[in-house]
Every structure is written in structure tokens, then in C-alpha cells.
């Protein structure tokens, strides 16, 4: 009988090769599994809701691990935070979940935020956290274009070549573009996303904001269902996995 | 006839000895004056509205410089940003101002934000930007205590020993404490502040939030007019100079 713990994680992705363990650098997965192995005294593997790419951040990533012994959830949180030092990765909450609960397969929604800093001067306070775009962007046009992507579509035009998903069909539940001073925030929610989908949508919306693409062109690109029709991939630094939704919030208790 | 430029600056104070030029490390003043000297081809001195301490950040600091030749304001901004690379200091705006305009003495208000991250886990995304306080803080009590400090008072109890001001009397126009999830924000506005005043007020309010000080104790400490009665100085990392106010906004044009 495993003791399965759901973990809510925050990390700064700047220095990592991404979530997934890789030979060529430090991954969040390796740090978390090493920390859990210290706690458990035995190897531990993790399953994650969103395999974020290199440079992508998380404010509410969710993973699960099985530990050979039961621990109070606070002890799991605090011990993992301790062993994760000094890396910019922390466990915000830990919760005991049923053995058949799965951070990846039980998830019913992923919420992302893409941040653009839209001003002439480079960021001094938000370096590595935003996409710096100098030219003033037309946010109302970006928001109208975003509306064309809502709903169920073949998102092949916004899918990375390396994407391993079986189907290019996804249902986009939310894609909002708002401005707060120099900051433009794109919020994207779906049950799941294709590889690079949020960054590819952000790259296309930026072209609309610059006036280089019309609003309608985004609809045409979507209909083309061909990555060669899509725009550029927005930089990883602007993207943050804000949260993961489940039928019942495992951290609510 | 000098060509006087007002500059609005953003910087991450983490790695600096503070605004003021010092022998023992890199200051924002030295970086700005060096950058301006590159542009002018001659030495340039600056005058600043708020001499921030080591580790304190700025989102809207204001300084002025005199240049031997006139330049378009955009060129001043872009050239200074260029010469300030790769340091986390940027000029957001430059404006031509009258010869008798002074970034320090023309200012009629300084606006600061003090940020507390109030949760068990250390910050991964906001390291060096917040004061990490683990124990849950009672924000309504902090807000009531803050109200006792509003108005014109002898702020000796919240004044650093090294403070060089002639008088300990200041008028506090705003001191608000609000919570947004795990983030507690203290906003402070006054014509001017004593040295460490905002951080000393934040340190006292944190004791109230923890329940170690009553709300009334803050009023008693204020009345004592003695730094030995005050609480601890909150860490520099949580403090940001948000903006400086003038009778007319030099950057509005």
C-alpha cells in the first residue's frame, strides 16, 4: 500500500532544463525525486501534471509521489523544502491522496499565464519572467483574435514538431488578453495543451498586437491546421503554470 | 545653461550597496553617472529623490542630471539603458525639465511598497523581493495599528540611529496593509521619510500581525519617541520605491 502524496510546487524555471529529467542539465524532476529519496531513504519517482519546458516557471505545478512510510503532510512539505535548498523550487502544500489518484491523469484543467512587458526599456525587476516587446501592442485586437481560438479545434498550427500527443484536437476554455500598465497578461486554460501551444498562441497574438497580422489571420491560421502557417514561438521566460484543476481539490482539506 | 533631464528609473537593488556611491561595492548612482558620462563625454553628477539602501528596489525612482549638450529625450533614455547593461538598472523615461527643477527638492511625495510573503515555504519566484514570514499574520490588526501612525508625528521611535534629517517630525499620508493570498502589501506615502522609517514601521506591524504586540502598543511606541521602544527593522529585500510625486509630473508630456 503506497502512501501517495500530492504536492503543489512553485519554481523559477530560468536555470533548469525543464521539468523532465535530462542528461544535459538540472531538472525540477531530478531535484524533487532526489529530495524525496532523502526523506524516504529509498528511490522515489514522481508523476507531474504539466511537463514544463526549460525556462518556464510554475506557481502551482502539481506532482505526486509514493513514499514507503506515512508522514504528516506538513513534515513532507517541510522536509522536501529543506532538501530542495538552495534551488528555487519549493513545495507549497502536500496532501495525502488515494492510491489511484494521479497528478497527471486525474487533472481536468491546466491554467497558464503568459506575461509580456510592453515598453521601450528592458526589464530590471522582471528579467527572465517576461517577454520584452518594445513596440506598443494593440491589446483589444489581441483579445479579439484570442476569442477566435476558443473552443474545440485541431490546433496543429500551434503545435510543436516534437509534440507527442496522439491527437491535435484540444478544447480551449479560456484565452484572455488584458493590459495592466506596461504589463500584458495572457491567461490560457484547457483540459490539456499540445507541446508549445500556449507559447505558439502567444507568438501569434503578439503579431496581431503589432499590426503585422490581422485579427482574421489568426482564424485562417487555425483553419490551416499546419504549423508552417503559425507564427513564432514566444520565449519560455514569459510562461508560468499557474495551477492545475482536479474534480476535487486535493489541497482543500 | 545646463540641459537638465529628469529620469525615471527601475532597478533590482539586491546586488547593490544602495543608491549612494560607496567605496565598498557597486551603487546605482555610480552606474547611472558612469552611463551618463559615456553619453556626455564628460563627468556627470546626479541628484536623486530617494536614497534607497542596499537591497532596496525601485520601480519609479527619480533622479536628475545635467548634460553639456541637448539630446532628444528618447535618445537619453535609450543611450543610458545601453550603457547601464548588463546591470539590473534601466531608465524608463527621460524628460527635459527647467534648470531650477530638482529631483530631490522639488519632490512632494515618496511612495513605497513593502511586501511580505506570508506562508510556510520560502519564496522560489520572489526571492530577494519579499520578507518571508512563516507565521500567519493578522492583517486587520496590522491595518488598525497602521492607522495609529497616520498624520504628523515625531517618528523618533521608527528612525535609524544613522538618520541625518534635522527633524524627527514627518507627516504620514498613507499607511495601508492589505492581503492578496499569501502576499501582504504595506503601502506608505509621505512627503519624505526618515532613514529606515518604512522598514521600522513594517517591523513593528509584523509584530502586531503575529500577536506579539497589541494594536495599542504601536501608539505607545510612537508616543515614546525613542528608537529603543521600536520593533525590529524589516529586511531591505521587501521594500520598493514605487514612485515620486511632484507638483507637476515631469514625465506626463
Amino acid at each position: 500500500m503506497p502512501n501517495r502524496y500530492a504536492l503543489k510546487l512553485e519554481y523559477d524555471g530560468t536555470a533548469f532544463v525543464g521539468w523532465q529529467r535530462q542528461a544535459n542539465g538540472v531538472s525540477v524532476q531530478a531535484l524533487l525525486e532526489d529530495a524525496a529519496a532523502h526523506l524516504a531513504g529509498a528511490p522515489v519517482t514522481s508523476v507531474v501534471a504539466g511537463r514544463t519546458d526549460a525556462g518556464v516557471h510554475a506557481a502551482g505545478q502539481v506532482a505526486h509521489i509514493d513514499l514507503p512510510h506515512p508522514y504528516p503532510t506538513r513534515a513532507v512539505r517541510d522536509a522536501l523544502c529543506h532538501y530542495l535548498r538552495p534551488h528555487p523550487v519549493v513545495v507549497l502544500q502536500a496532501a495525502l491522496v488515494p492510491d489511484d489518484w494521479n497528478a497527471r491523469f486525474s487533472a481536468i484543467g491546466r491554467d497558464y499565464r503568459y506575461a509580456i512587458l510592453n515598453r521601450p526599456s528592458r526589464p530590471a525587476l522582471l528579467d527572465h519572467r517576461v517577454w520584452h516587446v518594445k513596440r506598443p501592442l494593440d491589446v483589444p485586437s489581441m483579445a479579439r483574435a484570442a476569442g477566435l481560438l476558443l473552443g474545440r479545434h485541431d490546433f496543429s498550427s500551434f503545435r510543436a514538431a516534437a509534440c507527442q500527443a496522439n491527437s491535435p484536437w484540444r478544447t480551449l476554455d479560456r484565452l484572455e488578453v488584458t493590459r495592466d500598465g506596461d504589463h500584458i497578461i495572457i491567461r490560457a486554460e484547457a483540459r490539456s495543451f499540445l507541446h508549445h501551444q500556449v507559447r505558439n498562441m502567444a507568438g501569434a497574438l503578439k503579431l496581431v498586437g503589432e499590426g503585422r497580422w490581422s485579427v482574421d489571420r489568426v482564424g485562417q491560421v487555425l483553419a490551416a491546421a499546419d504549423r508552417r502557417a503559425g507564427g513564432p514561438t514566444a520565449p519560455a521566460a514569459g510562461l508560468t503554470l499557474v495551477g492545475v484543476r482536479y474534480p476535487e481539490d486535493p489541497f482543500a482539506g
Side-chain angles (χ1 to χ4, degrees), chain A:
Chain A
M1 288 288 289
N3 303 282
R4 181 160 289 185
Y5 291 90
L7 307 173
K8 188 184 285 187
L9 297 150
E10 175 184 289
Y11 50 85
D12 177 340
T14 308
F16 301 128
V17 294
W19 174 269
Q20 205 152 17
R21 196 184 279 274
Q22 291 181 41
N24 63 335
V26 179
S27 65
V28 184
Q29 180 184 19
L31 292 173
L32 176 66
E33 293 179 356
D34 288 356
H38 272 285
L39 172 62
V44 174
T45 57
S46 64
V47 172
V48 76
R51 284 167 294 171
T52 52
D53 284 318
V56 175
H57 315 294
Q61 173 72 283
V62 178
H64 80 252
I65 56 173
D66 293 332
L67 297 178
H69 309 289
Y71 301 87
T73 53
R74 286 184 180 197
V76 172
R77 178 195 68 202
D78 293 343
L80 293 176
C81 281
H82 174 76
Y83 291 122
L84 285 163
R85 282 182 182 277
H87 301 281
V89 182
V90 293
V91 175
L92 299 175
Q93 290 181 270
L96 195 61
V97 290
D99 296 357
D100 62 350
W101 190 91
N102 188 293
R104 179 176 177 192
F105 295 110
S106 301
I108 56 169
R110 275 86 175 168
D111 301 348
Y112 283 92
R113 179 181 63 221
Y114 196 93
I116 295 172
L117 183 64
N118 190 32
R119 70 183 193 193
S121 305
R122 64 187 161 84
L125 283 169
L126 289 171
D127 201 16
H128 303 297
R129 300 291 171 78
V130 293
W131 185 13
H132 178 215
V133 175
K134 294 188 179 187
R135 198 192 300 196
L137 298 179
D138 173 1
V139 168
S141 292
M142 294 170 73
R144 282 202 303 281
L148 301 178
L149 298 174
L150 285 175
R152 181 162 170 77
H153 304 285
D154 176 340
F155 280 99
S156 291
S157 297
F158 301 97
R159 179 188 195 179
C163 183
Q164 293 172 0
N166 290 322
S167 164
W169 287 80
R170 288 293 182 275
T171 301
L172 189 58
D173 298 316
R174 181 186 183 192
L175 190 66
E176 286 174 7
V177 188
T178 54
R179 177 187 285 280
D180 179 13
D182 292 338
H183 298 265
I184 295 171
I185 303 296
I186 302 170
R187 290 295 298 260
E189 298 183 9
R191 184 177 185 92
S192 67
F193 289 94
L194 301 168
H195 192 199
H196 282 182
Q197 185 182 343
V198 178
R199 289 166 59 190
N200 289 339
M201 293 190 302
L205 294 177
K206 181 249 199 182
L207 293 180
V208 172
E210 289 179 325
R212 292 164 64 190
W213 277 18
S214 68
V215 170
D216 290 344
R217 173 125 176 218
V218 170
Q220 293 156 9
V221 163
L222 177 67
D226 183 340
R227 178 67 192 127
R228 290 168 295 183
T233 304
L239 188 61
T240 301
L241 174 56
V242 176
V244 184
R245 279 173 288 132
Y246 296 91
E248 287 180 61
D249 181 357
F251 305 105

